[in-house]
């Protein structure tokens, strides 16, 4: 019987595990590109629709608000229907508002479609679920973080490439009003293409697809409890809610920065749209290695210590993130602002990787529920940050307050600590089962 992979062979697609690994980060990349494609174009859109700062805040809140609900739903759906069906469906349905936003003619219609686009942010939960059921505890932290990090880079790519795409269209004689709309068609089409590839070339777990396995009487680890049961089991675990908070303080901040960075650089430092896009894009592109680094370090620390070594790493990353965010908020020149953003961005992405390096060990029998709830925490953090910005009316002041909240949330990371009797190091060469640490 096929088992979870103990290694990550990056240059292979010959196994179900590696096909899932590569296609899941690619799908995630496309989804995040689509999710954040509007953000670097907001200075243009803000001018066209005559948006106030409060309306921009509403749009940023809408972009992440619905993701909370969809992430809570899609995790248990992975347990029930399998990640292959869940991802394909999300890509197909998510493409509708992505394409629809290009047709917006008013603030209200733009807000509506931006709300719908937020659903594609739930792709993260499916990505983490799929890699968790495909890789053993020996490398699952690295696999989760690498797939999420490379996919996350789609947000940074959107920040850097969308202004360039609009610029190219303007050079071809397209008007600015038509240019940003034409540019936003690209991610929608990419999502439709990715849906076909995911359906054709992936399977739910090493043994096959959940429907076939259930029909053959083969037990399913990740989807053992089914949708609602998975959610109930996860929601009863206090460690899930502690990680919900910490993820809100790292991934939530990451989403918030994606949404406001371009506007902040244009308004505060008077950069051009292209300059602001490149500066903001550098933050997102850190995900190419930083999130994977957080998962890799977590795996290595756990191999040399215990599961609580993973917890300690998360705590340190949260402290670094909070301090770096305060530096960014107080930077008085664009040079120091970019340097500070890259420093706190490194800690932020690594904290995200360290969080999901812990997720497979919280309750492996309710993996979908655990992944969904903690993933939703990231969006709750982003929504809270959006409301905070709306309340203060000042991005710099908002960033300062957020830095203090991040430092406080580090205490939740320490509180996650598991029983010393629990050990997540690999117990066999073919580790087919992730140890269930929920009993601690």
């Amino acid at each position: 019987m096929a088992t979870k992979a103990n290694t990550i062979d990056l240059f292979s697609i010959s196994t179900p595990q590696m096909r899932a690994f590569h296609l899941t980060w690619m799908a995630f990349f496309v989804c995040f590109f689509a999710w954040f494609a509007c953000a670097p174009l907001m200075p243009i859109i803000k001018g066209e629709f005559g948006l106030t700062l409060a309306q921009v805040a509403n749009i940023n809140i809408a972009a992440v608000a619905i993701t909370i609900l969809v992430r809570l739903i899609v995790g248990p759906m992975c347990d029930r229907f399998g990640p292959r069906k869940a991802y394909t469906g999300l890509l197909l349905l998510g493409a509708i508002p992505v394409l629809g936003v290009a047709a917006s003619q008013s603030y209200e219609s733009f807000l509506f479609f931006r709300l719908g686009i937020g659903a594609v942010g739930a792709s993260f939960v499916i990505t983490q679920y799929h890699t968790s059921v495909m890789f053993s505890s020996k490398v699952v932290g690295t696999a989760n973080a690498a797939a999420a990090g490379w996919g996350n880079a789609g947000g940074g790519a959107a920040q850097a490439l969308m202004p360039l795409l609009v610029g190219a269209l303007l050079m071809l004689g397209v008007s600015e009003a038509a240019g940003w709309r034409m540019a936003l068609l690209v991610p929608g089409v990419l999502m439709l293409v990715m849906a076909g590839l995911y359906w054709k070339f992936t399977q739910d777990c090493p043994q096959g697809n959940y429907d076939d396995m259930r029909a053959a009487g083969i037990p399913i680890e990740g989807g053992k409890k089914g949708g609602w049961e998975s959610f109930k089991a996860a929601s009863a675990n206090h460690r899930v809610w502690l990680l919900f908070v910490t993820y809100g303080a790292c991934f939530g901040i990451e989403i918030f920065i994606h949404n406001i960075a371009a506007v902040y650089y244009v308004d505060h430092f008077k950069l051009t749209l292209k300059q602001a896009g490149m500066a903001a894009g550098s933050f997102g592109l850190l995900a190419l290695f930083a999130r994977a680094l957080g998962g890799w370090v977590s795996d290595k620390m756990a191999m040399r210590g215990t599961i609580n070594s993973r917890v300690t790493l998360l705590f340190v990353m949260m402290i670094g993130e909070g301090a770096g965010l305060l530096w960014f908020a107080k930077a008085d020149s664009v040079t120091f602002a970019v340097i500070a953003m890259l420093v706190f961005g490194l800690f932020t992405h690594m904290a995200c990787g360290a969080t999901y390096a812990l997720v497979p060990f919280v309750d492996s029998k309710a993996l979908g529920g655990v992944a969904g709830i903690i993933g939703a925490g990231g969006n709750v953090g982003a929504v809270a940050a959006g409301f905070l910005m709306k309340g203060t009316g000042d991005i710099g002041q908002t960033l300062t307050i957020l830095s203090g909240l991040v430092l406080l949330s580090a205490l939740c990371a320490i509180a996650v600590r598991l029983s010393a009797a629990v050990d997540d190091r690999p117990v066999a060469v073919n580790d087919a089962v992730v140890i269930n640490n929920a009993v601690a």
Side-chain angles (χ1 to χ4, degrees):
M1 181 181 290
T3 59
K4 293 184 177 183
N6 290 297
T7 59
I8 301 173
D9 187 359
L10 284 180
F11 302 103
S12 172
I13 55 171
S14 61
T15 64
Q17 293 90 336
M18 289 313 303
R19 284 197 296 276
F21 175 84
H22 285 299
L23 284 170
T24 200
W25 78 254
M26 290 177 187
F28 191 25
F29 183 98
V30 168
C31 285
F32 260 50
F33 191 98
W35 195 11
F36 293 110
C38 293
L41 306 183
M42 282 307 296
I44 296 176
I45 298 166
K46 180 183 176 184
E48 178 170 336
F49 293 143
L51 303 178
T52 64
L53 182 62
Q55 288 175 322
V56 172
N58 288 338
I59 289 169
N60 291 340
I61 292 168
V64 295
I66 198 172
T67 318
I68 299 170
L69 176 62
V70 182
R71 284 189 173 192
L72 290 172
I73 294 172
V74 83
M77 283 182 67
C78 287
D79 280 330
R80 178 64 184 88
F81 301 106
R84 174 172 167 261
K85 284 184 177 179
Y87 225 145
T88 302
L90 184 66
L91 285 161
L92 290 174
L93 292 175
I96 297 173
V98 174
L99 294 171
V101 75
S104 300
Q105 298 297 324
S106 66
Y107 161 67
E108 290 77 15
S109 60
F110 187 88
L111 180 66
F112 174 77
F113 285 117
R114 197 73 179 97
L115 179 69
I117 290 175
V120 305
S123 57
F124 167 76
V125 173
I126 312 175
T127 295
Q128 298 295 268
Y129 184 100
H130 214 166
T131 47
S132 291
V133 298
M134 286 292 188
F135 292 89
S136 74
S137 61
K138 184 178 180 181
V139 294
V140 70
T142 304
N144 279 359
W150 296 349
N152 244 10
Q159 296 277 10
L161 295 178
M162 290 303 289
L164 295 179
L165 181 54
V166 172
L169 290 168
L170 294 180
M171 290 177 65
L172 293 175
V174 177
S175 69
E176 190 175 77
W180 70 263
R181 290 182 169 85
M182 292 175 64
L184 287 173
L185 295 176
V186 174
V189 172
L190 289 175
M191 288 180 69
L192 294 175
V193 172
M194 200 67 231
L197 293 175
Y198 211 88
W199 179 261
K200 183 174 177 61
F201 295 109
T202 67
Q203 62 187 52
D204 291 328
C205 65
Q207 294 88 355
N209 291 317
Y210 285 180
D211 287 345
D212 297 333
M213 292 171 65
R214 288 188 176 106
I218 301 173
I220 298 170
E221 180 194 338
K224 192 170 185 177
K225 290 181 179 292
W228 177 240
E229 291 300 318
S230 171
F231 180 82
K232 286 197 297 183
S235 62
N237 191 321
H238 73 281
R239 294 187 181 92
V240 172
W241 296 106
L242 291 171
L243 290 174
F244 175 96
V245 173
T246 63
Y247 201 60
C250 55
F251 186 64
I253 296 299
E254 178 184 335
I255 298 174
F256 181 71
I257 294 298
H258 276 309
N259 280 326
I260 59 90
V263 172
Y264 184 62
Y265 280 117
V266 169
D267 291 349
H268 196 71
F269 297 109
K270 309 306 178 185
L271 299 187
T272 67
L273 184 64
K274 289 183 181 179
Q275 290 171 333
M278 294 303 292
S282 64
F283 175 82
L285 292 175
L286 283 171
L288 284 171
F289 72 92
R291 188 158 186 156
L293 181 61
W296 180 80
V297 173
S298 183
D299 281 344
K300 293 301 180 184
M301 289 181 66
M303 289 285 287
R304 295 175 182 176
T306 68
I307 183 103
N308 286 323
S309 301
R310 297 184 186 270
V311 175
T312 301
L313 174 67
L314 177 58
F315 172 76
V316 172
M317 292 301 102
M318 298 295 292
I319 295 295
E321 178 194 345
L325 182 56
L326 180 61
W327 181 21
F328 177 60
K330 299 301 182 181
D332 56 4
S333 72
V334 68
T335 300
F336 282 118
V338 171
I339 294 172
M341 183 180 69
L342 293 176
V343 170
F344 100 78
L346 177 65
F347 283 105
T348 302
H349 288 296
M350 287 187 68
C352 291
T355 298
Y356 267 81
L358 275 165
V359 163
F361 306 102
V362 175
D363 186 348
S364 64
K365 294 179 180 178
L367 182 59
V370 173
I373 292 173
I374 295 174
N379 290 81
V380 170
V383 169
F387 277 113
L388 179 62
M389 187 182 81
K390 188 176 179 180
T392 63
D394 181 82
I395 295 177
Q397 185 181 353
T398 301
L399 293 172
T400 301
I401 296 171
L402 287 174
S403 67
L405 295 176
V406 169
L407 291 171
L408 284 175
S409 71
L411 298 176
C412 290
I414 286 296
V416 173
R417 293 180 69 84
L418 298 162
S419 167
V422 176
D423 189 350
D424 72 319
R425 288 171 290 185
V427 295
V429 174
N430 290 313
D431 181 14
V433 180
V434 175
I435 300 170
N436 180 6
N437 291 316
V439 299

